[in-house]
Amino acid sequence: MFRPDGSLLPHHQCSMADVLRTGISVREQEVHIERPDGLRGIALVDIEAIRDTDGNIVGAVNCFQDITERKRSEETALRLAAIIQSSDDAIVSKDLDGIITSWNGGAERIFGYLAEEIIGKPITLLIPPDHQKEEETIMGRIRRGQRVEHYQTVRQRKHGSLIDVSLTISPVRNTQGKVIGASKIARDITEHKRSEAQMVNLAREAEHRTKNILATVLATVRLSHSDTPDDLKQAIEGRINALAKVHTLFVESRWAGAELHRLATQELLAYGGKREARVRIDGPAVMLEPSTAQTTAISLHELATNAAKYGSLSAAGGRVEVSWSLTADGRLSLRWIESGGPTVTPPTHRGFGTRIVENMIGQLRGEVRFDWRDQGLTCEIVLPLA
């Protein structure tokens, strides 16, 4: 024999020995017994002393009641109750009339009702008006003994807010196998649904942006031209590199756009010079949305490339000033002014760089004007910001 805590119970200390010594009866004392085959069981012990006509103790009657299965059932029930109560999911039971009969801690956290507020009330309190017909369909399946799994729907919290839930509903049967109610597990999937929606939106946005990027690259390639394959390759690489740089700014801003001062600094960084600033950039803070930023980046790239080959940046003392302001009607006015370079003569035909700038700005309903002054090129670009 063993005590409930698992320690060995010597025979001289067992309940029978106590009764024989004291004559005091024992009622429903729990004892663990090991059988000869090594298996253990649990018994309730009732012991009554036997006395002779003079009242002397001459023996005792020991009644053992095997409660092994009952104890196991009780322990299983306690474990299940602990699991149900501590679950993050709402676990609720209801009868066939839809009246709530149990309510765990997860249900309190998800729906906002305390157990004492909701037990005895109809489950329809949790169902929004436009979803009330769902309960009739669900209970019809439960009455037929069918299980409902992973049913995604919407439910209503105590103060009226709606949540997305995934429901699993099972019939509850009595000892005769008759369906007497239902057990429902509701999992809050509001964040999951929100994440799914965000992923769909991000995928659509990524598709849209990718198409825009490829369209811009394709237009750039189509407009590119040169006398030799190497020059053509260099021109295309430079223009695509300008797009890559501005897309780095898009990523940093989470695709809100690109700040104009950073964009201009980035495109003209290679021409700044080590000892003195050959490039001056000035203007108010302006955030350009992606399509405007791409056009501005390509335009500055073309102007800088042209200046490095033929304009002010091709001479040691040449300079470039980039400045911008906002017009009264909400447009961006950007000026490119070259000075200190070789004497400029107006071109006899429009170059491919010029055509790219005019084409891209025209697509945004902007305006561009080139002025080839003797002291250097001046270019003014006006773009809508809205």
Side-chain angles (χ1 to χ4, degrees), residues 329 331-334 357-358 360-370 379-384:
D329 57 356
R331 297 192 297 172
L332 172 69
S333 175
L334 186 146
V357 173
E358 291 176 337
M360 295 186 73
I361 290 174
Q363 289 180 1
L364 295 180
R365 298 181 182 179
E367 302 169 11
V368 59
R369 183 174 63 85
F370 294 95
C379 175
E380 183 174 5
I381 298 172
V382 179
L383 288 168

Side-chain angles (χ1 to χ4, degrees), residues 303 306-307 311-312 319-323 333-340 344 346-347 354 357 368-381:
L303 290 168
N306 184 74
S312 62
R319 298 174 182 275
V320 168
E321 179 181 347
V322 182
S323 62
S333 175
L334 186 146
R335 288 174 61 84
W336 171 281
I337 302 173
E338 298 183 25
S339 61
V344 174
T354 302
V357 173
V368 59
R369 183 174 63 85
F370 294 95
D371 182 8
W372 281 273
R373 302 170 299 122
D374 290 344
Q375 59 269 38
L377 169 66
T378 296
C379 175
E380 183 174 5
I381 298 172

Side-chain angles (χ1 to χ4, degrees), residues 90 94 111 123 126-127 134-135 138 147-155 164-170 183-189:
K94 58 185 177 180
F111 295 109
I123 197 74
L126 308 177
I127 305 177
E134 292 178 358
E135 180 65 8
I138 289 170
R147 178 180 167 93
V148 179
E149 291 192 80
H150 308 305
Y151 177 65
Q152 294 190 9
T153 184
V154 177
R155 288 297 179 256
D164 294 297
V165 295
S166 175
L167 301 178
T168 297
I169 307 150
S170 304
S183 173
K184 176 184 295 186
I185 300 175
R187 175 164 294 177
D188 185 355
I189 59 170

Side-chain angles (χ1 to χ4, degrees), residues 104-143:
N104 77 330
E108 290 185 0
R109 289 187 291 272
I110 290 175
F111 295 109
Y113 291 96
L114 297 176
E116 53 266 30
E117 293 179 291
I118 196 74
I119 290 177
K121 302 288 180 63
I123 197 74
T124 50
L125 281 175
L126 308 177
I127 305 177
D130 56 341
H131 287 262
Q132 289 286 330
K133 290 184 178 180
E134 292 178 358
E135 180 65 8
E136 182 180 343
T137 302
I138 289 170
M139 290 309 297
R141 293 185 61 178
I142 292 298
R143 288 188 179 94

Side-chain angles (χ1 to χ4, degrees), residues 25-278:
S25 301
V26 170
R27 295 287 180 267
E28 295 190 348
Q29 186 175 89
E30 184 178 310
V31 63
H32 292 222
I33 299 173
E34 185 175 274
R35 300 186 183 94
D37 60 6
L39 295 178
R40 292 189 184 186
I42 305 173
L44 283 183
V45 178
D46 289 275
I47 306 174
E48 187 74 32
I50 299 175
R51 300 176 184 271
D52 60 17
T53 55
D54 296 325
N56 299 313
I57 298 172
V58 295
V61 176
N62 195 340
C63 178
F64 290 86
Q65 181 184 355
D66 189 352
I67 61 168
T68 305
E69 291 304 319
R70 190 181 86 187
K71 290 288 288 186
R72 287 174 182 168
S73 297
E74 288 175 355
E75 290 173 0
T76 300
L78 288 172
R79 281 197 297 270
L80 287 174
I83 291 170
I84 289 170
Q85 191 59 28
S86 62
S87 173
D88 289 332
D89 295 333
I91 302 177
V92 180
S93 61
K94 58 185 177 180
D95 62 22
L96 291 179
D97 294 322
I99 301 301
I100 296 169
T101 56
S102 71
W103 187 263
N104 77 330
E108 290 185 0
R109 289 187 291 272
I110 290 175
F111 295 109
Y113 291 96
L114 297 176
E116 53 266 30
E117 293 179 291
I118 196 74
I119 290 177
K121 302 288 180 63
I123 197 74
T124 50
L125 281 175
L126 308 177
I127 305 177
D130 56 341
H131 287 262
Q132 289 286 330
K133 290 184 178 180
E134 292 178 358
E135 180 65 8
E136 182 180 343
T137 302
I138 289 170
M139 290 309 297
R141 293 185 61 178
I142 292 298
R143 288 188 179 94
R144 293 192 295 273
Q146 298 175 352
R147 178 180 167 93
V148 179
E149 291 192 80
H150 308 305
Y151 177 65
Q152 294 190 9
T153 184
V154 177
R155 288 297 179 256
Q156 185 169 289
R157 302 183 77 251
K158 179 178 180 179
H159 298 295
S161 59
L162 301 180
I163 57 171
D164 294 297
V165 295
S166 175
L167 301 178
T168 297
I169 307 150
S170 304
V172 174
R173 303 175 187 272
N174 62 14
T175 54
Q176 289 77 42
K178 181 181 178 182
V179 176
I180 58 172
S183 173
K184 176 184 295 186
I185 300 175
R187 175 164 294 177
D188 185 355
I189 59 170
T190 304
E191 287 302 319
H192 175 70
K193 296 289 283 188
R194 186 177 293 120
S195 296
E196 280 186 345
Q198 288 175 345
M199 288 176 66
V200 171
N201 290 335
L202 285 172
R204 289 174 179 168
E205 183 68 16
E207 179 186 18
H208 174 71
R209 289 170 181 166
T210 300
K211 287 180 177 178
N212 282 347
I213 293 168
L214 293 176
T216 303
V217 171
L218 184 60
T220 302
V221 172
R222 284 175 175 171
L223 288 169
S224 297
H225 178 78
S226 188
D227 295 331
T228 68
D230 287 342
D231 288 345
L232 177 61
K233 177 182 177 182
Q234 186 177 2
I236 293 174
E237 284 179 350
R239 288 159 187 165
I240 293 177
N241 188 48
L243 287 173
K245 288 179 181 177
V246 75
H247 277 81
T248 299
L249 298 182
F250 293 166
V251 172
E252 291 177 3
S253 69
R254 296 189 178 183
W255 289 89
E259 203 281 319
L260 180 51
H261 198 283
R262 286 196 64 190
L263 186 153
T265 301
Q266 186 171 260
E267 291 300 332
L268 298 171
L269 185 63
Y271 306 99
K274 295 181 179 180
R275 295 185 178 179
E276 55 181 340
R278 302 184 66 195

